[in-house]
């Protein structure tokens, strides 16, 4: 991810994760990557087979 931010000369990046595990914590948090910031959003997604 850090290489991607550097390649495009970005200081802040965003990542959306779909979580299928009910035990994982959902929410939004900022993660520092050196002098860059990654905003990570984890959402819970339910998968159903009909």
């Amino acid at each position: 991810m850090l290489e991607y931010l550097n390649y495009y000369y970005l200081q802040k990046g965003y990542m959306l994760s779909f979580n299928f595990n009910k035990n994982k914590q959902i929410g939004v948090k900022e993660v520092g990557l050196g002098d860059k910031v990654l905003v990570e959003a984890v959402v819970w997604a339910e998968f159903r087979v009909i």
Side-chain angles (χ1 to χ4, degrees):
M1 191 56 141
L2 188 56
E3 289 182 30
Y4 177 87
L5 294 174
N6 286 332
Y7 182 83
Y8 289 104
Y9 303 101
L10 299 171
Q11 293 299 316
K12 191 177 232 184
Y14 300 88
M15 181 170 66
L16 175 62
S17 299
F18 294 93
N19 180 20
F20 297 94
N21 181 353
K22 290 183 182 179
N23 297 327
K24 181 154 177 143
Q25 187 174 8
I26 60 172
V28 178
K29 65 181 177 178
E30 289 189 359
V31 179
L33 299 171
D35 63 339
K36 315 269 188 224
V37 175
L38 176 65
V39 178
E40 179 187 18
V42 179
V43 297
W44 184 73
E46 185 174 349
F47 180 73
R48 294 184 192 186
V49 177
I50 299 175

